[in-house]
Amino acid sequence: MGQPGLPVNPYRIGEAAALLGVSADTMRRWVDAGRLAAVRDEHGHRIIPGAELAAFARELARPENAEAEGRPSSARNRFPGIITHVVLGDVAAQVEVQAGPFRVVSLISRESAEELNLVPGAPATAVIKSTNVMIERR
């Protein structure tokens, strides 16, 4: 169990920022603006309760708070990034997108890759809809 008076699964500002893919300065601004609650630990460091951070992350990910994509979709997992590598085969294409710290690899038709002009350096959003997603706990 945690220390008395401190939340269970607390995250320091830098840890919370890394989990949300933003800078520590952005996280501090959100806390200072009252968008996210934080408490001080025994050393005076600001920490964010895990449950508070999870609720805030869900709010950030809501479709109306995300960038408008221009059309409705049932897919909720969108990772904006940059195309880093494309391998065109006879029928299929392997496309790699670097989305923040995440490398997403997709196998699509060659025709789609050519129609979308998917080339290294182009901006892209990896849209993931899956019934088989594995979760690992750190």
Side-chain angles (χ1 to χ4, degrees):
M1 200 72 180
Q3 294 176 293
L6 288 182
V8 178
N9 292 328
Y11 293 94
R12 291 180 65 175
I13 294 286
E15 293 170 324
L19 289 171
L20 296 185
V22 298
S23 71
D25 285 339
T26 295
M27 189 63 62
R28 282 187 201 91
R29 283 192 293 276
W30 286 340
V31 169
D32 291 343
R35 291 185 65 191
L36 183 59
V39 296
R40 299 262 180 194
D41 67 10
E42 71 276 6
H43 303 291
H45 297 119
R46 289 188 283 190
I47 58 171
I48 300 166
E52 295 273 342
L53 184 60
F56 185 71
R58 274 184 72 85
E59 182 64 27
L60 286 177
R62 289 180 55 172
E64 60 269 21
N65 292 332
E67 276 186 346
E69 291 292 323
R71 59 182 171 242
S73 173
S74 64
R76 297 292 182 249
N77 305 303
R78 297 176 175 282
F79 300 94
I82 186 169
I83 296 173
T84 57
H85 190 67
V86 178
V87 178
L88 296 174
D90 292 336
V91 177
Q94 178 181 319
V95 181
E96 294 182 21
V97 175
Q98 190 67 36
F102 306 106
R103 176 179 167 252
V104 180
V105 180
S106 178
L107 187 60
I108 64 174
S109 71
R110 179 185 179 124
E111 180 180 8
S112 292
E114 290 174 339
E115 284 178 5
L116 292 170
N117 194 27
L118 301 182
V119 295
T125 300
V127 180
I128 300 170
K129 178 152 176 118
S130 177
T131 56
N132 187 18
V133 176
M134 283 154 248
I135 305 293
E136 292 180 349
R137 173 119 191 230
R138 296 190 277 167

